[in-house]
Amino acid sequence: MPLPDRSTYNEFAPDGVTPRAYWSTVIESLQGIGPDELARRWERAERRIRENGVTYNVYTDPQGVNRPLAIDPIPLLIPPEEWRVIEAGIVQRAHLLNLLVGDIYGPRQLIQKGDLPADLLFANPSFLRPLTGVAPPDRGHLHLIGVDLARSPDGRWWVLADRTQSPSGTGYALQNRTIVADALPEAFSAANVRRLASFFRTRREALLGLARCDHPRAVLLTPGPYNETYFEHSYLARYLGLTLAEGSDLTVRDRRVYLKTVEGLQPVHVILRRVDDSFCDPMELRHDSFLGVAGLVDAVHAGNVVVVNALGSGVIETAAIMPFLPGLAEKLLGEPLKLPSVATWWCGQDYALDWVLDHLDRVVVKPAFPSRAMEPVFGADLSRAEKRKISEQLRSRPYEYVAQEQVDLSTVPVWDQGRLNPHSMVLRTYALNTGGGWIAMPGGLVRVSEADGQVVSMQRGGRTKDAWVLWDGPVDTFSLLRPRNQPVQLERAAADLPSRAADNLFWLGRYAERSECIARLLRCLMTRVRRANRTELACLFRLHGCLVSTHSTLPKDRPATEHELEDELVSLMSAADRPDSLASYLAEVRRVGGSVRERLSTDMSRLVAALSESAQTENYMLFVEYSAVLNGCLELLSAFSGMERENITRGPGWLFLSLGRRLERAMYSVRQLRELTSGLDERSWPLLEYLLEVADSSMTYRSRYFTTLQPIAVLDVLMADESNPRSLSFQIVHLADLYKKLTRHVPADREAIQHAAALLRGLDLEKVEFPLPGGGLPSCDSDGQSQIHRTLGSIQKLLPSWADNISLTYFDHAHTFPISIGE
């Protein structure tokens, strides 16, 4: 098969200088704005991108999940006559592919009649046999498809790839449109660009229309926050009004899918999935998957849930199908294929293999099936020895390879530091199955290469662009955002809170409070350890013992030295590989905060990110700069507490976040108070001062008792005073109050925490006698002290069990264990 001579199509100017006619309106607007103003506007837009958390995760990038999406301000322009060709082509292609998937998982007439090779199907790992014979929705297997397009040298559009499994990018396209149109409102208005909102409105209606019931619940199934396109999942879920759910948020009971929420199990009728086919059900498909829902295939078989795109639709997401599409279009649709595919050869056919081997210099060799890990091989770049090697691979397993013509991609103008430079580009377009036919999204997601490369890949540092479809008639100005001049219906009901999100918020509160408690304790210890005398050093060891650390570096078979305590404090502060260190707790704050960042404000998200960096200091500097490091960390943690109290709506999410914080503070408080009541003499008197400082209650104590330190007064401030937000009673009372506000709370657990509050209120501290220095008063094992010690011991046992029951009730949806206090 002859191949055309290669050349490059310039989307902006055929000769590289004179713009195409349809660019004139946008160019005039850009000239009116001027380069300096454009640079200022785009600087503001990029700040907005960062602040709104618009990210695309490049796995090898040091910024990880916080890498901002790279957007270019200059859009790709598509004139009306060209868009009509594209639209007709992708709508036809979507209809054809939908019929093809239906036949593969249904009668397989195409294979029986030889129109599609059986080897191409049964060798494909994406063909899911458990889905054979499953009745698809009335509209077929495909709800949305993505089609990657590129220009041929003569200006025609070619199809590079079809995305039929869970096509990504519509959310990024919408975000690009919002940002670019806001930055260039003059150009957007003057160019008469077709809008996107009506497409997304239709998409939402089409999704809900798939359910076989009234008032359906639809969720967007995401792999989680570490997926490269997680921002898009979160953004689309909010925009379409869906619940964002991970696999662990869903469960199958009696062949029906339920969303685990803090309100209980809620039925799910439609799942818009962004998880690959084989990972969706560890019971029927990939057993090693942690991303899916066990039993989902069975629920689909029973017709109790609709998954879109249908499970198994990735079977045709392979270039090996492309050589057969022209014939299949004639057979299934009775018409020629409107959008040609880039020249493709599946090596599983003898004549195709022979042609590829004879023309390796002119093709790119790729895996036939995307699940096979292999980088594309550019034949023109191979040495003679490398060509022999790839030829042997092709001959040994020909059905696993395809070859495609090496395409020179068209170029678009990209804004590079005040100049427009040409970069290679690929346009991803989308078609939606509405039930009454297919419609195309007007525009799409443009991806451009970095620098002057021909490889267009977001994972390799590429950028994105908006695609403006210019129109020669009126454009629909509908927006899913309600116009300002129309009244709104007031709503205060909280949306579904998935159990996984509630769990992460609960632990976000716990890890933030753990970080604060350990930071305060470290500051107290590090301030004194180098100037402490023997008596004070013994008290510092007792204070450290309140941590009950199983990872302590202190020797267990002999008394530790001052230097060993210093080393332990350094480890406790900065050791990233130590689970109970401050650095590790702050890292956990960032991890769990990132898992629910779609539920946090921009300020809270920035604060969570800053916290994990606040304790990163070289070890040898710790005892020089510990004060600045810990003070900075505590300032951020105080800001976190302030936002938790003042900036978060009092809904279920806030309840679990606050429960986590109060619970953790109570656990630390009770351990420290038990140290106070377990034995106190004249030599351990400095411990009173240390405990007040760690609890940030020194000033409260001094305002009442000046500098006279006595155990009963310290106990009153740190344990019994319900007006002190650092006291144990304050935590227990608030835990009881917060727990009562939860739906479905367990009466026995409510009574247990209320009983704990009553026990603390019932302690008569004025009747408790502690030994005073030189006072000759009763020993420390007096009845009053013993009662306090027993009460604190009971609370110390209660709190972890009580926390476990919260997890079982609201996060795991399992039976709780009976707990009680004081027995």
Side-chain angles (χ1 to χ4, degrees), residues 9 11 20-26 77-79 82 151 470:
Y9 185 95
E11 300 284 345
R20 300 182 186 276
Y22 58 83
W23 275 88
S24 59
T25 301
V26 172
L77 303 187
I78 306 174
E82 285 193 8
R151 291 271 197 182
L470 311 181

Side-chain angles (χ1 to χ4, degrees), residues 443-677:
L445 180 68
V446 182
R447 294 169 293 155
V448 297
S449 64
E450 188 62 23
D452 57 354
Q454 274 277 311
V455 178
V456 175
S457 170
M458 296 295 292
Q459 280 294 321
R460 298 188 183 187
R463 308 186 205 182
T464 66
K465 276 179 172 288
D466 193 10
W468 289 7
V469 174
L470 311 181
W471 209 235
D472 48 12
V475 295
D476 184 1
T477 59
F478 167 81
S479 173
L480 280 177
L481 302 176
R482 187 181 296 271
R484 278 183 265 181
N485 60 357
Q486 290 186 10
V488 299
Q489 182 177 355
L490 299 181
E491 294 183 6
R492 292 182 181 174
D496 287 336
L497 179 64
S499 295
R500 184 254 326 158
D503 193 0
N504 282 320
L505 287 167
F506 182 64
W507 278 99
L508 176 60
R510 294 193 68 173
Y511 281 125
E513 192 62 33
R514 280 187 192 181
S515 301
E516 180 174 349
C517 289
I518 198 171
R520 290 187 179 281
L521 187 142
L522 278 169
R523 187 172 62 177
C524 178
L525 290 169
M526 285 183 160
T527 303
R528 294 172 169 82
V529 66
R530 286 192 168 178
R531 55 183 176 84
N533 57 37
R534 183 176 299 180
T535 298
E536 292 169 337
L537 191 61
C539 291
L540 295 179
F541 276 113
R542 286 187 65 175
L543 182 61
H544 172 272
C546 294
L547 293 173
V548 195
S549 173
T550 58
H551 303 279
S552 173
T553 62
L554 296 178
K556 297 177 176 58
D557 56 346
R558 59 174 175 79
T561 65
E562 172 190 339
H563 296 296
E564 287 171 332
L565 180 57
E566 286 185 15
D567 292 340
E568 161 65 6
L569 297 181
V570 170
S571 171
L572 193 57
M573 181 171 176
S574 63
D577 58 347
R578 178 171 171 170
D580 64 345
S581 71
L582 176 61
S584 292
Y585 287 149
L586 290 172
E588 288 299 299
V589 168
R590 182 166 189 164
R591 181 185 67 80
V592 296
S595 299
V596 289
R597 63 178 180 266
E598 75 279 1
R599 296 180 178 273
L600 303 178
S601 68
T602 301
D603 287 340
M604 182 69 98
S605 294
R606 281 203 299 263
L607 184 58
V608 165
L611 274 169
S612 67
E613 301 170 2
S614 62
Q616 295 178 4
T617 304
E618 295 293 337
N619 286 357
Y620 68 88
M621 294 292 291
L622 283 179
F623 268 89
V624 177
E625 298 185 350
Y626 74 86
S627 180
V629 172
L630 290 172
N631 285 338
C633 175
L634 286 169
E635 286 174 5
L636 291 173
L637 288 164
S638 295
F640 181 95
S641 299
M643 287 190 181
E644 179 260 318
R645 287 192 299 269
E646 302 295 337
N647 292 33
I648 301 179
T649 305
R650 292 327 195 232
W654 173 80
L655 285 174
F656 284 102
L657 178 63
S658 298
L659 275 168
R661 288 191 61 242
R662 296 298 173 192
L663 179 66
E664 204 65 35
R665 187 176 291 184
M667 287 180 170
Y668 271 81
S669 178
V670 76
R671 288 206 298 267
Q672 292 163 10
L673 288 168
R674 288 204 80 194
E675 186 65 29
L676 177 59
T677 61

Side-chain angles (χ1 to χ4, degrees), residues 256-571:
R256 296 182 181 275
V257 180
Y258 293 90
L259 176 67
K260 293 187 285 187
T261 77
V262 296
E263 303 288 337
L265 298 179
Q266 305 294 335
V268 173
H269 308 97
V270 180
I271 298 176
L272 173 60
R273 68 180 177 91
R274 292 300 298 272
V275 174
D276 288 348
D277 282 330
S278 58
F279 287 90
C280 283
D281 186 345
M283 185 179 295
E284 294 283 354
L285 304 174
R286 281 192 60 150
H287 69 277
D288 59 342
S289 170
F290 291 95
L291 305 177
V293 186
L296 180 59
V297 169
D298 191 38
V300 170
H301 267 283
N304 293 326
V305 68
V306 178
V307 178
V308 292
N309 286 342
L311 296 176
S313 54
V315 68
I316 59 170
E317 197 171 275
T318 165
I321 291 286
M322 288 184 171
F324 306 97
L325 290 181
L328 293 173
E330 294 283 359
K331 185 173 185 65
L332 296 177
L333 304 178
E335 58 188 26
L337 198 63
K338 295 179 180 179
L339 273 180
S341 304
V342 64
T344 305
W345 297 265
W346 177 50
C347 296
Q349 296 175 296
D350 292 339
Y351 75 89
L353 174 63
D354 293 339
W355 192 95
V356 170
L357 292 174
D358 290 340
H359 299 84
L360 271 178
D361 287 340
R362 307 176 68 181
V363 297
V364 182
V365 178
K366 302 177 181 180
F369 312 119
S371 58
R372 307 290 192 198
M374 172 186 167
E375 287 290 319
V377 176
F378 292 81
D381 298 336
L382 299 179
S383 65
R384 185 172 299 178
E386 290 170 332
K387 287 180 182 177
R388 283 197 301 269
K389 183 177 179 180
I390 191 66
S391 297
E392 291 172 0
Q393 291 178 1
L394 292 175
R395 290 191 181 97
S396 64
R397 303 178 71 85
Y399 56 86
E400 290 191 357
Y401 299 95
V402 295
Q404 290 187 313
E405 173 192 353
Q406 185 170 339
V407 179
D408 285 331
L409 302 174
S410 64
T411 61
V412 288
V414 170
W415 177 264
D416 283 330
Q417 298 179 346
R419 300 184 59 185
L420 294 179
N421 295 320
H423 287 230
S424 301
M425 77 98 187
V426 171
L427 169 64
R428 178 169 293 181
T429 54
Y430 301 91
L432 172 70
N433 189 345
T434 67
W438 289 83
I439 63 171
M441 176 178 167
L445 180 68
V446 182
R447 294 169 293 155
V448 297
S449 64
E450 188 62 23
D452 57 354
Q454 274 277 311
V455 178
V456 175
S457 170
M458 296 295 292
Q459 280 294 321
R460 298 188 183 187
R463 308 186 205 182
T464 66
K465 276 179 172 288
D466 193 10
W468 289 7
V469 174
L470 311 181
W471 209 235
D472 48 12
V475 295
D476 184 1
T477 59
F478 167 81
S479 173
L480 280 177
L481 302 176
R482 187 181 296 271
R484 278 183 265 181
N485 60 357
Q486 290 186 10
V488 299
Q489 182 177 355
L490 299 181
E491 294 183 6
R492 292 182 181 174
D496 287 336
L497 179 64
S499 295
R500 184 254 326 158
D503 193 0
N504 282 320
L505 287 167
F506 182 64
W507 278 99
L508 176 60
R510 294 193 68 173
Y511 281 125
E513 192 62 33
R514 280 187 192 181
S515 301
E516 180 174 349
C517 289
I518 198 171
R520 290 187 179 281
L521 187 142
L522 278 169
R523 187 172 62 177
C524 178
L525 290 169
M526 285 183 160
T527 303
R528 294 172 169 82
V529 66
R530 286 192 168 178
R531 55 183 176 84
N533 57 37
R534 183 176 299 180
T535 298
E536 292 169 337
L537 191 61
C539 291
L540 295 179
F541 276 113
R542 286 187 65 175
L543 182 61
H544 172 272
C546 294
L547 293 173
V548 195
S549 173
T550 58
H551 303 279
S552 173
T553 62
L554 296 178
K556 297 177 176 58
D557 56 346
R558 59 174 175 79
T561 65
E562 172 190 339
H563 296 296
E564 287 171 332
L565 180 57
E566 286 185 15
D567 292 340
E568 161 65 6
L569 297 181
V570 170
S571 171

